[in-house]
Amino acid sequence: MNKDKKLLNRRDALSTGAKIAALGALGAVVAGTSASAANTSEAVSDMDKYKDPEKYALPRVPMKFDKSKLALVVIDPQVDFLSPKGVGWGAFGASLKEQNTVEHLLSLFKASKAANIVVAVSPHFYYPTDHKWEFGGPGEHFMHNTGMFDRKGAFTMEGFEGSGADFMPEFKPYILDNKTIIASPHKIFGNQTNDLSLQLRKRGISQILLCGMAANLCVESHLRNLQEEGFEVAVIKDATAGAKLPEGDGYLAALINYRYLASEVLTTKQAIKILA
């Protein structure tokens, strides 16, 4: 990443998000997802492609949930991912609306607190020193160029309140209660660079209900790493969302991999029933 490159200001970042949304719409047309204009009877709706297969090929072994060993882990419940005010809305907004992600996350926070299980947040923060990185992938470049999750420093909260890095206002009563674990920030996608696993292990946690943002990026990366570290992980599929861009449908990509990888793939309704 070019050291001399200046970050886009907030207005430019939001404009970039709008352009991304337009590109996503264009990509959908090019890909033929608007095939109903040609043949309505044969068109497959956007939501149909997310349905579970009628029959699985791989064995499904249900988790035996034990609330004494269970934690809700929420990744990046922050403004820049989840709010129309965030720089990521242009890319993620359509999927967030389809999955009702914010409302589902709020329900999961409430149910987990009522069930008195461990709740942990794995946030995404970038400090000025992180912008000295010299290389990165497309997702990293987007986050850095738009100032996504930016804070003024590791030891200051100046400008944090209400910023894109801040937690969604409706989640704050459940996150800032001095009971929820707020892990140190992960820096790219996975939790290899933060203390989430340590915090969970120290609480005797071995089972995880995983949700948050974004489906095929941070959530999938956390899923893979947590499983490699010996945790049993269930992903809550409608408490996440993915970008829709010419590169592809991030939510669909993640959903396919969840079916291959996760111990369970649940809906919010199913997860809340487990917590009841």
Side-chain angles (χ1 to χ4, degrees):
M1 194 171 294
N2 190 332
K3 292 181 179 180
D4 298 324
K5 187 172 184 179
K6 294 182 179 179
L7 292 176
L8 300 174
N9 63 32
R10 192 77 183 167
R11 184 178 298 173
D12 289 340
L14 290 168
S15 175
T16 299
K19 291 175 183 177
I20 286 173
L23 279 173
L26 176 61
V29 172
V30 172
T33 57
S34 298
S36 58
N39 191 338
T40 305
S41 63
E42 295 180 5
V44 178
S45 77
D46 244 10
M47 298 305 291
D48 282 344
K49 65 184 177 183
Y50 301 139
K51 288 182 178 179
D52 292 333
E54 292 185 8
K55 185 176 181 180
Y56 288 99
L58 300 178
R60 324 306 293 180
V61 181
M63 286 175 64
K64 297 178 181 179
F65 290 97
D66 180 345
K67 284 192 276 190
S68 69
K69 300 176 181 179
L70 180 65
L72 177 75
V73 173
V74 185
I75 303 164
D76 298 342
Q78 295 163 265
V79 169
D80 267 343
F81 259 142
L82 295 169
S83 170
K85 298 179 181 178
V87 297
W89 186 258
F92 296 96
S95 185
L96 288 164
K97 290 178 181 178
E98 286 176 353
Q99 302 307 319
N100 206 21
T101 306
V102 173
E103 289 78 4
H104 286 152
L105 288 172
L106 184 58
S107 296
L108 289 165
F109 273 121
K110 290 179 179 178
S112 296
K113 292 297 181 178
N116 199 32
I117 69 165
V118 171
V119 177
V121 169
S122 179
H124 215 140
F125 298 133
Y126 285 126
Y127 308 129
T129 49
D130 296 320
H131 291 291
K132 301 298 182 181
W133 296 357
E134 296 186 0
F135 61 89
E140 291 175 77
H141 284 299
F142 173 77
M143 290 187 287
H144 283 262
N145 291 347
T146 58
M148 199 170 187
F149 307 123
D150 267 5
R151 283 177 50 183
K152 292 191 180 293
F155 294 100
T156 177
M157 298 302 291
E158 180 188 353
F160 178 75
E161 185 75 22
S163 71
D166 198 0
F167 301 117
M168 291 286 283
E170 53 264 61
F171 300 161
K172 286 186 178 183
Y174 307 99
I175 296 175
L176 305 180
D177 62 354
N178 289 324
K179 295 180 180 179
T180 293
I181 297 165
I182 303 176
S184 55
H186 59 275
K187 288 297 179 178
I188 303 180
F189 304 122
N191 63 299
Q192 295 93 329
T193 53
N194 75 0
D195 65 342
L196 176 66
S197 296
L198 172 66
Q199 295 287 353
L200 295 174
R201 291 291 191 201
K202 286 290 190 177
R203 300 288 190 97
I205 298 300
S206 59
Q207 297 182 328
I208 294 170
L209 294 172
L210 189 66
C211 56
M213 291 296 286
N216 64 318
L217 301 172
C218 299
V219 176
E220 185 174 325
S221 291
H222 276 66
L223 166 64
R224 290 175 182 270
N225 191 61
L226 288 166
Q227 286 189 311
E228 295 283 1
E229 292 187 355
F231 290 94
E232 197 173 10
V233 185
V235 178
I236 306 174
K237 65 181 181 179
D238 57 359
T240 184
K244 291 189 174 186
L245 299 172
E247 285 83 346
D249 185 337
Y251 181 74
L252 180 60
L255 196 58
I256 291 168
N257 284 337
Y258 295 164
R259 293 172 186 148
Y260 276 91
L261 298 170
S263 295
E264 288 260 25
V265 181
L266 305 172
T267 63
T268 296
K269 185 176 180 180
Q270 290 170 329
I272 290 174
K273 186 176 181 179
I274 290 165
L275 294 170

